[in-house]
Amino acid sequence: MHLLVYVRNRRLTGTLEVRAADGRDGTIELWRGRISGARTTPPTAYFGTVAYELGFIDTTTLDATLLEISKTRRLHGNVLVEAGAISASQRDEILAEQVCRKVHQLFSLPPLATFALYEARPAADEPTLALDPLQPGWRGLRDRPPTESVRSVLALYALPHDSE
């Protein structure tokens, strides 16, 4: 969470990579302090699954469009919009939720996971998605609070016990 706040406050652009010793990892794409994309290994939060779980599409639509994207290699969101199954604003809502879930997954990595931040020059055009990092960050803190860090900070301010 600290790193997401840092990226946000400094309005950084680039790529944040996080790696765990067990092979899990993730990449967060950043644009001017906002999240423009995320990937995880192993993969999580597929677009169609998120659209279905949010109630935007049914299983028949999901199955039909999964077949189409397997043949055409097109983006699932675009296929659903072109088919009239969802609107462009619903696609954007699904994308935001998908990225939140992927970033949230990175909170499950062990505390000793390593990270690297590669800065880049921001593109002139705003990306399709520009998500405030606090949104997925708060989810991660809620579900996986850094209890050891909190304990160590609280220990610094613990009052000595009376020996009565």
Side-chain angles (χ1 to χ4, degrees):
M1 179 65 173
H2 291 95
L3 195 50
L4 292 177
V5 171
Y6 178 81
V7 163
R8 180 181 189 256
N9 290 345
R10 301 275 185 192
R11 296 180 42 88
L12 298 179
T13 297
T15 304
L16 172 61
E17 294 180 355
V18 184
R19 297 190 191 292
D22 63 7
R24 293 180 295 158
D25 66 19
T27 303
I28 302 173
E29 299 297 326
L30 306 163
W31 182 81
R32 297 185 178 174
R34 308 200 47 93
I35 297 174
S36 60
R39 288 181 296 286
T40 59
T41 303
T44 58
Y46 292 102
F47 185 91
T49 304
V50 175
Y52 173 76
E53 290 175 355
L54 292 176
F56 289 121
I57 61 173
D58 58 20
T59 55
T60 304
T61 304
L62 176 60
D63 292 343
T65 55
L66 282 173
L67 181 61
E68 183 176 340
I69 67 168
S70 72
K71 293 176 183 177
T72 63
R73 312 296 279 172
R74 294 175 52 221
L75 294 174
H76 204 165
N78 292 345
V79 169
L80 287 165
V81 169
E82 288 171 16
I86 61 173
S87 67
S89 64
Q90 287 172 322
R91 179 200 54 212
D92 295 345
E93 185 179 337
I94 296 164
L95 281 171
E97 177 63 22
Q98 181 186 32
V99 167
C100 281
R101 291 181 185 192
K102 289 179 179 188
V103 173
H104 182 262
Q105 178 67 25
L106 297 177
F107 275 79
S108 71
L109 297 180
L112 295 178
T114 60
F115 71 89
L117 179 61
Y118 302 100
E119 287 192 74
R121 189 173 298 251
D125 297 331
E126 186 171 340
T128 305
L129 177 70
L131 183 68
D132 187 337
L134 295 183
Q135 186 175 351
W138 281 120
R139 283 186 191 188
L141 280 178
R142 178 194 66 212
D143 295 342
R144 293 184 177 87
T147 51
E148 276 308 309
S149 298
V150 171
R151 276 192 199 108
S152 62
V153 169
L154 290 175
L156 295 172
Y157 298 99
L159 298 174
H161 294 283
D162 289 355
S163 55
E164 292 181 50

PDB file of all heavy atoms in Angstrom, residues 4 10 31 40-41 55 60 63 68-69 75-76 92 98-101 106 109 118 125-126 134 138:
ATOM      1  N   LEU A   4       1.893   2.100  -3.480  1.00  0.00           N
ATOM      2  CA  LEU A   4       0.803   2.646  -4.289  1.00  0.00           C
ATOM      3  C   LEU A   4       0.536   4.113  -3.946  1.00  0.00           C
ATOM      4  O   LEU A   4       0.275   4.927  -4.833  1.00  0.00           O
ATOM      5  CB  LEU A   4      -0.469   1.821  -4.109  1.00  0.00           C
ATOM      6  CG  LEU A   4      -0.442   0.398  -4.674  1.00  0.00           C
ATOM      7  CD1 LEU A   4      -1.739  -0.322  -4.349  1.00  0.00           C
ATOM      8  CD2 LEU A   4      -0.177   0.408  -6.163  1.00  0.00           C
ATOM      9  N   ARG A  10       3.374  10.995  -6.209  1.00  0.00           N
ATOM     10  CA  ARG A  10       4.428  11.494  -7.106  1.00  0.00           C
ATOM     11  C   ARG A  10       3.980  11.534  -8.567  1.00  0.00           C
ATOM     12  O   ARG A  10       4.758  11.954  -9.428  1.00  0.00           O
ATOM     13  CB  ARG A  10       5.669  10.615  -7.003  1.00  0.00           C
ATOM     14  CG  ARG A  10       6.257  10.526  -5.636  1.00  0.00           C
ATOM     15  CD  ARG A  10       7.164  11.652  -5.386  1.00  0.00           C
ATOM     16  NE  ARG A  10       7.798  11.467  -4.081  1.00  0.00           N
ATOM     17  CZ  ARG A  10       8.464  12.386  -3.475  1.00  0.00           C
ATOM     18  NH1 ARG A  10       8.618  13.559  -4.043  1.00  0.00           N
ATOM     19  NH2 ARG A  10       8.979  12.165  -2.291  1.00  0.00           N
ATOM     20  N   TRP A  31       0.230   5.345 -15.011  1.00  0.00           N
ATOM     21  CA  TRP A  31       0.184   6.537 -15.851  1.00  0.00           C
ATOM     22  C   TRP A  31      -0.162   7.732 -14.967  1.00  0.00           C
ATOM     23  O   TRP A  31      -1.265   7.817 -14.435  1.00  0.00           O
ATOM     24  CB  TRP A  31      -0.853   6.386 -16.965  1.00  0.00           C
ATOM     25  CG  TRP A  31      -0.920   7.546 -17.892  1.00  0.00           C
ATOM     26  CD1 TRP A  31      -0.097   7.804 -18.952  1.00  0.00           C
ATOM     27  CD2 TRP A  31      -1.864   8.612 -17.862  1.00  0.00           C
ATOM     28  NE1 TRP A  31      -0.478   8.970 -19.569  1.00  0.00           N
ATOM     29  CE2 TRP A  31      -1.563   9.489 -18.916  1.00  0.00           C
ATOM     30  CE3 TRP A  31      -2.944   8.918 -17.029  1.00  0.00           C
ATOM     31  CZ2 TRP A  31      -2.283  10.637 -19.172  1.00  0.00           C
ATOM     32  CZ3 TRP A  31      -3.669  10.072 -17.285  1.00  0.00           C
ATOM     33  CH2 TRP A  31      -3.333  10.920 -18.352  1.00  0.00           C
ATOM     34  N   THR A  40      -1.157 -10.601 -13.613  1.00  0.00           N
ATOM     35  CA  THR A  40      -0.680 -11.459 -12.526  1.00  0.00           C
ATOM     36  C   THR A  40      -0.286 -12.822 -13.074  1.00  0.00           C
ATOM     37  O   THR A  40      -0.800 -13.271 -14.077  1.00  0.00           O
ATOM     38  CB  THR A  40      -1.755 -11.670 -11.446  1.00  0.00           C
ATOM     39  OG1 THR A  40      -2.904 -12.262 -12.044  1.00  0.00           O
ATOM     40  CG2 THR A  40      -2.138 -10.367 -10.767  1.00  0.00           C
ATOM     41  N   THR A  41       0.647 -13.451 -12.384  1.00  0.00           N
ATOM     42  CA  THR A  41       1.029 -14.825 -12.653  1.00  0.00           C
ATOM     43  C   THR A  41       0.937 -15.577 -11.332  1.00  0.00           C
ATOM     44  O   THR A  41       1.604 -15.180 -10.385  1.00  0.00           O
ATOM     45  CB  THR A  41       2.468 -14.929 -13.201  1.00  0.00           C
ATOM     46  OG1 THR A  41       2.573 -14.132 -14.361  1.00  0.00           O
ATOM     47  CG2 THR A  41       2.837 -16.360 -13.518  1.00  0.00           C
ATOM     48  N   GLY A  55     -22.847  -9.471 -12.935  1.00  0.00           N
ATOM     49  CA  GLY A  55     -24.222  -9.570 -13.418  1.00  0.00           C
ATOM     50  C   GLY A  55     -24.482  -8.869 -14.739  1.00  0.00           C
ATOM     51  O   GLY A  55     -25.640  -8.673 -15.117  1.00  0.00           O
ATOM     52  N   THR A  60     -24.691 -17.984 -21.174  1.00  0.00           N
ATOM     53  CA  THR A  60     -24.805 -18.201 -22.619  1.00  0.00           C
ATOM     54  C   THR A  60     -23.958 -17.189 -23.374  1.00  0.00           C
ATOM     55  O   THR A  60     -23.207 -17.537 -24.292  1.00  0.00           O
ATOM     56  CB  THR A  60     -26.284 -18.105 -23.064  1.00  0.00           C
ATOM     57  OG1 THR A  60     -27.045 -19.044 -22.308  1.00  0.00           O
ATOM     58  CG2 THR A  60     -26.429 -18.379 -24.541  1.00  0.00           C
ATOM     59  N   ASP A  63     -20.160 -17.911 -22.726  1.00  0.00           N
ATOM     60  CA  ASP A  63     -19.668 -19.037 -23.523  1.00  0.00           C
ATOM     61  C   ASP A  63     -19.515 -18.668 -24.999  1.00  0.00           C
ATOM     62  O   ASP A  63     -18.501 -18.999 -25.628  1.00  0.00           O
ATOM     63  CB  ASP A  63     -20.598 -20.244 -23.384  1.00  0.00           C
ATOM     64  CG  ASP A  63     -20.568 -20.856 -21.989  1.00  0.00           C
ATOM     65  OD1 ASP A  63     -19.618 -20.563 -21.227  1.00  0.00           O
ATOM     66  OD2 ASP A  63     -21.504 -21.607 -21.655  1.00  0.00           O
ATOM     67  N   GLU A  68     -15.733 -16.951 -29.474  1.00  0.00           N
ATOM     68  CA  GLU A  68     -15.327 -15.969 -30.491  1.00  0.00           C
ATOM     69  C   GLU A  68     -13.923 -15.432 -30.228  1.00  0.00           C
ATOM     70  O   GLU A  68     -13.109 -15.352 -31.146  1.00  0.00           O
ATOM     71  CB  GLU A  68     -16.324 -14.812 -30.559  1.00  0.00           C
ATOM     72  CG  GLU A  68     -15.957 -13.824 -31.649  1.00  0.00           C
ATOM     73  CD  GLU A  68     -16.967 -12.713 -31.834  1.00  0.00           C
ATOM     74  OE1 GLU A  68     -18.120 -12.861 -31.413  1.00  0.00           O
ATOM     75  OE2 GLU A  68     -16.573 -11.684 -32.424  1.00  0.00           O
ATOM     76  N   ILE A  69     -13.621 -15.063 -28.979  1.00  0.00           N
ATOM     77  CA  ILE A  69     -12.288 -14.490 -28.726  1.00  0.00           C
ATOM     78  C   ILE A  69     -11.184 -15.536 -28.849  1.00  0.00           C
ATOM     79  O   ILE A  69     -10.049 -15.197 -29.150  1.00  0.00           O
ATOM     80  CB  ILE A  69     -12.208 -13.749 -27.374  1.00  0.00           C
ATOM     81  CG1 ILE A  69     -12.349 -14.690 -26.190  1.00  0.00           C
ATOM     82  CG2 ILE A  69     -13.192 -12.605 -27.317  1.00  0.00           C
ATOM     83  CD1 ILE A  69     -11.997 -14.078 -24.852  1.00  0.00           C
ATOM     84  N   LEU A  75     -10.115  -8.482 -27.966  1.00  0.00           N
ATOM     85  CA  LEU A  75     -10.373  -8.212 -26.559  1.00  0.00           C
ATOM     86  C   LEU A  75     -11.825  -8.537 -26.212  1.00  0.00           C
ATOM     87  O   LEU A  75     -12.749  -8.147 -26.941  1.00  0.00           O
ATOM     88  CB  LEU A  75     -10.073  -6.744 -26.235  1.00  0.00           C
ATOM     89  CG  LEU A  75      -8.602  -6.334 -26.342  1.00  0.00           C
ATOM     90  CD1 LEU A  75      -8.469  -4.828 -26.135  1.00  0.00           C
ATOM     91  CD2 LEU A  75      -7.757  -7.089 -25.347  1.00  0.00           C
ATOM     92  N   HIS A  76     -11.998  -9.236 -25.102  1.00  0.00           N
ATOM     93  CA  HIS A  76     -13.323  -9.696 -24.708  1.00  0.00           C
ATOM     94  C   HIS A  76     -14.294  -8.527 -24.518  1.00  0.00           C
ATOM     95  O   HIS A  76     -15.446  -8.587 -24.937  1.00  0.00           O
ATOM     96  CB  HIS A  76     -13.214 -10.529 -23.433  1.00  0.00           C
ATOM     97  CG  HIS A  76     -14.346 -11.478 -23.261  1.00  0.00           C
ATOM     98  ND1 HIS A  76     -14.307 -12.511 -22.374  1.00  0.00           N
ATOM     99  CD2 HIS A  76     -15.564 -11.564 -23.839  1.00  0.00           C
ATOM    100  CE1 HIS A  76     -15.441 -13.190 -22.426  1.00  0.00           C
ATOM    101  NE2 HIS A  76     -16.225 -12.629 -23.308  1.00  0.00           N
ATOM    102  N   ASP A  92     -15.947  -0.339 -19.207  1.00  0.00           N
ATOM    103  CA  ASP A  92     -14.973   0.389 -18.402  1.00  0.00           C
ATOM    104  C   ASP A  92     -15.111   0.048 -16.916  1.00  0.00           C
ATOM    105  O   ASP A  92     -14.113  -0.064 -16.205  1.00  0.00           O
ATOM    106  CB  ASP A  92     -15.120   1.895 -18.629  1.00  0.00           C
ATOM    107  CG  ASP A  92     -14.787   2.291 -20.064  1.00  0.00           C
ATOM    108  OD1 ASP A  92     -14.186   1.469 -20.801  1.00  0.00           O
ATOM    109  OD2 ASP A  92     -15.137   3.428 -20.452  1.00  0.00           O
ATOM    110  N   GLN A  98     -11.727  -5.481 -12.742  1.00  0.00           N
ATOM    111  CA  GLN A  98     -10.729  -6.489 -13.075  1.00  0.00           C
ATOM    112  C   GLN A  98      -9.349  -6.073 -12.560  1.00  0.00           C
ATOM    113  O   GLN A  98      -8.643  -6.870 -11.942  1.00  0.00           O
ATOM    114  CB  GLN A  98     -10.695  -6.690 -14.595  1.00  0.00           C
ATOM    115  CG  GLN A  98      -9.708  -7.728 -15.062  1.00  0.00           C
ATOM    116  CD  GLN A  98      -9.621  -7.790 -16.580  1.00  0.00           C
ATOM    117  OE1 GLN A  98      -9.787  -6.789 -17.273  1.00  0.00           O
ATOM    118  NE2 GLN A  98      -9.358  -8.981 -17.103  1.00  0.00           N
ATOM    119  N   VAL A  99      -8.975  -4.833 -12.781  1.00  0.00           N
ATOM    120  CA  VAL A  99      -7.676  -4.342 -12.308  1.00  0.00           C
ATOM    121  C   VAL A  99      -7.627  -4.338 -10.784  1.00  0.00           C
ATOM    122  O   VAL A  99      -6.621  -4.730 -10.198  1.00  0.00           O
ATOM    123  CB  VAL A  99      -7.375  -2.949 -12.900  1.00  0.00           C
ATOM    124  CG1 VAL A  99      -6.213  -2.283 -12.184  1.00  0.00           C
ATOM    125  CG2 VAL A  99      -7.078  -3.072 -14.384  1.00  0.00           C
ATOM    126  N   CYS A 100      -8.712  -3.926 -10.142  1.00  0.00           N
ATOM    127  CA  CYS A 100      -8.751  -3.967  -8.673  1.00  0.00           C
ATOM    128  C   CYS A 100      -8.492  -5.378  -8.163  1.00  0.00           C
ATOM    129  O   CYS A 100      -7.741  -5.578  -7.215  1.00  0.00           O
ATOM    130  CB  CYS A 100     -10.095  -3.471  -8.152  1.00  0.00           C
ATOM    131  SG  CYS A 100     -10.273  -1.692  -8.139  1.00  0.00           S
ATOM    132  N   ARG A 101      -9.103  -6.355  -8.787  1.00  0.00           N
ATOM    133  CA  ARG A 101      -8.926  -7.743  -8.355  1.00  0.00           C
ATOM    134  C   ARG A 101      -7.500  -8.230  -8.583  1.00  0.00           C
ATOM    135  O   ARG A 101      -6.951  -8.969  -7.765  1.00  0.00           O
ATOM    136  CB  ARG A 101      -9.916  -8.658  -9.085  1.00  0.00           C
ATOM    137  CG  ARG A 101     -11.345  -8.434  -8.648  1.00  0.00           C
ATOM    138  CD  ARG A 101     -12.293  -9.364  -9.357  1.00  0.00           C
ATOM    139  NE  ARG A 101     -13.683  -9.069  -9.031  1.00  0.00           N
ATOM    140  CZ  ARG A 101     -14.697  -9.858  -9.334  1.00  0.00           C
ATOM    141  NH1 ARG A 101     -14.499 -10.994  -9.985  1.00  0.00           N
ATOM    142  NH2 ARG A 101     -15.924  -9.516  -9.004  1.00  0.00           N
ATOM    143  N   LEU A 106      -2.077  -9.231  -5.603  1.00  0.00           N
ATOM    144  CA  LEU A 106      -0.683  -8.984  -5.258  1.00  0.00           C
ATOM    145  C   LEU A 106      -0.493  -8.788  -3.750  1.00  0.00           C
ATOM    146  O   LEU A 106       0.602  -9.002  -3.230  1.00  0.00           O
ATOM    147  CB  LEU A 106      -0.143  -7.790  -6.033  1.00  0.00           C
ATOM    148  CG  LEU A 106      -0.124  -7.979  -7.553  1.00  0.00           C
ATOM    149  CD1 LEU A 106       0.369  -6.721  -8.238  1.00  0.00           C
ATOM    150  CD2 LEU A 106       0.702  -9.187  -7.943  1.00  0.00           C
ATOM    151  N   LEU A 109       0.871 -11.818  -1.817  1.00  0.00           N
ATOM    152  CA  LEU A 109       2.263 -12.235  -1.908  1.00  0.00           C
ATOM    153  C   LEU A 109       2.935 -12.101  -0.545  1.00  0.00           C
ATOM    154  O   LEU A 109       2.554 -11.246   0.263  1.00  0.00           O
ATOM    155  CB  LEU A 109       3.003 -11.407  -2.962  1.00  0.00           C
ATOM    156  CG  LEU A 109       2.499 -11.544  -4.396  1.00  0.00           C
ATOM    157  CD1 LEU A 109       3.322 -10.656  -5.325  1.00  0.00           C
ATOM    158  CD2 LEU A 109       2.534 -12.980  -4.858  1.00  0.00           C
ATOM    159  N   TYR A 118       9.971   0.837 -12.639  1.00  0.00           N
ATOM    160  CA  TYR A 118      10.640   1.343 -13.824  1.00  0.00           C
ATOM    161  C   TYR A 118       9.862   2.547 -14.331  1.00  0.00           C
ATOM    162  O   TYR A 118       8.754   2.406 -14.832  1.00  0.00           O
ATOM    163  CB  TYR A 118      10.699   0.260 -14.910  1.00  0.00           C
ATOM    164  CG  TYR A 118      11.413  -0.986 -14.445  1.00  0.00           C
ATOM    165  CD1 TYR A 118      10.687  -2.097 -14.026  1.00  0.00           C
ATOM    166  CD2 TYR A 118      12.801  -1.041 -14.403  1.00  0.00           C
ATOM    167  CE1 TYR A 118      11.334  -3.245 -13.586  1.00  0.00           C
ATOM    168  CE2 TYR A 118      13.449  -2.178 -13.963  1.00  0.00           C
ATOM    169  CZ  TYR A 118      12.706  -3.273 -13.549  1.00  0.00           C
ATOM    170  OH  TYR A 118      13.350  -4.400 -13.101  1.00  0.00           O
ATOM    171  N   ASP A 125      -1.559  10.825 -24.719  1.00  0.00           N
ATOM    172  CA  ASP A 125      -2.963  10.441 -24.641  1.00  0.00           C
ATOM    173  C   ASP A 125      -3.252   9.689 -23.354  1.00  0.00           C
ATOM    174  O   ASP A 125      -2.475   8.835 -22.936  1.00  0.00           O
ATOM    175  CB  ASP A 125      -3.338   9.545 -25.830  1.00  0.00           C
ATOM    176  CG  ASP A 125      -3.206  10.257 -27.161  1.00  0.00           C
ATOM    177  OD1 ASP A 125      -3.375  11.488 -27.189  1.00  0.00           O
ATOM    178  OD2 ASP A 125      -2.919   9.572 -28.160  1.00  0.00           O
ATOM    179  N   GLU A 126      -4.387  10.019 -22.767  1.00  0.00           N
ATOM    180  CA  GLU A 126      -4.805   9.321 -21.556  1.00  0.00           C
ATOM    181  C   GLU A 126      -5.198   7.890 -21.910  1.00  0.00           C
ATOM    182  O   GLU A 126      -5.877   7.659 -22.901  1.00  0.00           O
ATOM    183  CB  GLU A 126      -5.991  10.052 -20.911  1.00  0.00           C
ATOM    184  CG  GLU A 126      -6.388   9.467 -19.584  1.00  0.00           C
ATOM    185  CD  GLU A 126      -7.413  10.315 -18.858  1.00  0.00           C
ATOM    186  OE1 GLU A 126      -7.545  11.511 -19.169  1.00  0.00           O
ATOM    187  OE2 GLU A 126      -8.076   9.771 -17.966  1.00  0.00           O
ATOM    188  N   LEU A 134      -5.671   4.013  -4.749  1.00  0.00           N
ATOM    189  CA  LEU A 134      -6.220   3.818  -3.415  1.00  0.00           C
ATOM    190  C   LEU A 134      -7.383   2.831  -3.417  1.00  0.00           C
ATOM    191  O   LEU A 134      -7.609   2.125  -2.433  1.00  0.00           O
ATOM    192  CB  LEU A 134      -6.655   5.151  -2.809  1.00  0.00           C
ATOM    193  CG  LEU A 134      -5.538   6.154  -2.540  1.00  0.00           C
ATOM    194  CD1 LEU A 134      -6.093   7.390  -1.871  1.00  0.00           C
ATOM    195  CD2 LEU A 134      -4.427   5.548  -1.715  1.00  0.00           C
ATOM    196  N   TRP A 138      -6.999  -0.062  -0.722  1.00  0.00           N
ATOM    197  CA  TRP A 138      -7.833  -0.217   0.479  1.00  0.00           C
ATOM    198  C   TRP A 138      -8.400  -1.622   0.571  1.00  0.00           C
ATOM    199  O   TRP A 138      -8.525  -2.190   1.655  1.00  0.00           O
ATOM    200  CB  TRP A 138      -8.953   0.817   0.516  1.00  0.00           C
ATOM    201  CG  TRP A 138      -8.483   2.154   0.979  1.00  0.00           C
ATOM    202  CD1 TRP A 138      -8.539   3.322   0.283  1.00  0.00           C
ATOM    203  CD2 TRP A 138      -7.861   2.472   2.234  1.00  0.00           C
ATOM    204  NE1 TRP A 138      -7.984   4.338   1.019  1.00  0.00           N
ATOM    205  CE2 TRP A 138      -7.562   3.845   2.220  1.00  0.00           C
ATOM    206  CE3 TRP A 138      -7.516   1.723   3.350  1.00  0.00           C
ATOM    207  CZ2 TRP A 138      -6.945   4.490   3.289  1.00  0.00           C
ATOM    208  CZ3 TRP A 138      -6.893   2.356   4.413  1.00  0.00           C
ATOM    209  CH2 TRP A 138      -6.616   3.723   4.370  1.00  0.00           C
TER     210      TRP A 138
END
